[in-house]
């Protein structure tokens, strides 16, 4: 649903009976990217708000989740288990080959772009303990990650990209 502020009009955007999740606006506000189970698996889709045209971007047996547009709208980052484990990927906003940007084994999820589009922050999750392994950032081109916090979730960049706020996990230290 899209609600026009100050809360006077609500419009249902997607109408498929399958679940649609984790939506993100394109920078120009013309599209939404989201995960959907309408193909029998969680894949990425976009919808043009003006026309209602929907396009399936991914078709992979693994679940593709948490999509988010880059600040310039040219790319989409998301998490997926397509290579075993859960990793962060980047793909062209109009669809195409996805490129893994995180290294090593782990469970990485919920990518967030830095304002200049050069870094992706993400949560490292430890499924065996059910706790957060902290927040990390990696260059969009890939490479080694740098740890931003030992605990926490949901990275949020400052407008200039010079700092990153994270919500602490319950009973977390950061």
């Amino acid at each position: 649903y899209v609600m026009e502020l100050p809360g006077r009009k609500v419009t249902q955007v997607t109408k498929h009976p399958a679940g649609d999740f984790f939506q993100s606006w394109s920078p120009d506000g013309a599209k939404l990217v989201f995960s959907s189970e309408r193909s029998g698996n969680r894949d990425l889709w976009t919808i043009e708000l003006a026309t209602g045209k929907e396009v399936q971007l991914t078709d992979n047996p693994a679940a593709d989740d948490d999509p988010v547009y880059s600040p310039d709208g040219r790319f989409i980052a998301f998490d997926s288990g397509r290579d075993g484990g859960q990793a962060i990927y980047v793909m062209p906003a109009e669809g195409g080959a996805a490129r893994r940007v995180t290294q090593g084994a782990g469970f990485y999820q919920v990518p967030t772009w830095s304002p200049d589009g050069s870094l992706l922050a993400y949560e490292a999750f430890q499924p065996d303990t059910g706790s957060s392994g902290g927040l990390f950032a990696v260059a969009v081109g890939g490479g080694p990650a740098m740890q931003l916090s030992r605990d926490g979730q949901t990275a949020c960049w400052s407008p200039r990209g010079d700092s990153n706020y994270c919500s602490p996990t319950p009973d977390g230290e950061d």
Side-chain angles (χ1 to χ4, degrees), residues 21-22 24 33-35 42-45 57-60 62-70 75-83 86-93 95-102 108-113 120-122 138 140:
F21 313 93
F22 309 118
S24 173
V33 63
F34 57 96
S35 294
R42 280 205 187 162
D43 288 307
L44 303 186
W45 292 71
L57 298 178
T58 63
D59 183 15
N60 192 283
D64 295 333
D65 278 324
D66 303 313
V68 61
Y69 277 99
S70 62
F75 299 97
I76 294 171
F78 63 99
D79 55 66
S80 180
R82 54 181 61 200
D83 290 333
Q86 189 81 354
I88 306 298
Y89 295 82
V90 173
M91 65 181 289
R99 178 179 45 81
R100 183 175 175 161
V101 296
T102 52
Y108 310 128
Q109 63 183 10
V110 193
T112 306
W113 293 89
L120 284 163
Y122 58 92
V138 65
V140 174

Side-chain angles (χ1 to χ4, degrees), residues 2-173:
V2 172
M3 180 172 41
E4 293 180 19
L5 296 179
R8 300 189 188 269
K9 182 181 176 186
V10 176
T11 305
Q12 185 174 355
V13 176
T14 62
K15 298 176 175 60
H16 197 278
D20 295 332
F21 313 93
F22 309 118
Q23 61 282 347
S24 173
W25 290 97
S26 62
D28 63 5
K31 291 182 179 182
L32 287 171
V33 63
F34 57 96
S35 294
S36 180
E37 294 178 343
R38 58 184 71 196
S39 62
N41 178 51
R42 280 205 187 162
D43 288 307
L44 303 186
W45 292 71
T46 59
I47 185 167
E48 290 182 23
L49 297 176
T51 65
K53 178 183 176 186
E54 296 174 330
V55 175
Q56 185 175 356
L57 298 178
T58 63
D59 183 15
N60 192 283
D64 295 333
D65 278 324
D66 303 313
V68 61
Y69 277 99
S70 62
D72 63 8
R74 294 177 45 220
F75 299 97
I76 294 171
F78 63 99
D79 55 66
S80 180
R82 54 181 61 200
D83 290 333
Q86 189 81 354
I88 306 298
Y89 295 82
V90 173
M91 65 181 289
E94 300 305 320
R99 178 179 45 81
R100 183 175 175 161
V101 296
T102 52
Q103 297 178 352
F107 193 93
Y108 310 128
Q109 63 183 10
V110 193
T112 306
W113 293 89
S114 63
D116 68 0
S118 67
L119 296 171
L120 284 163
Y122 58 92
E123 178 183 355
F125 186 71
Q126 298 171 333
D128 54 334
T129 65
S131 67
S132 173
L135 289 176
F136 291 79
V138 65
V140 174
M146 65 180 144
Q147 190 166 17
L148 303 175
S149 73
R150 291 180 310 244
D151 197 8
Q153 58 191 14
T154 317
C156 180
W157 294 94
S158 66
R160 290 189 312 233
D162 56 353
S163 59
N164 193 300
Y165 169 81
C166 69
S167 301
T169 55
D171 300 322
E173 297 175 13

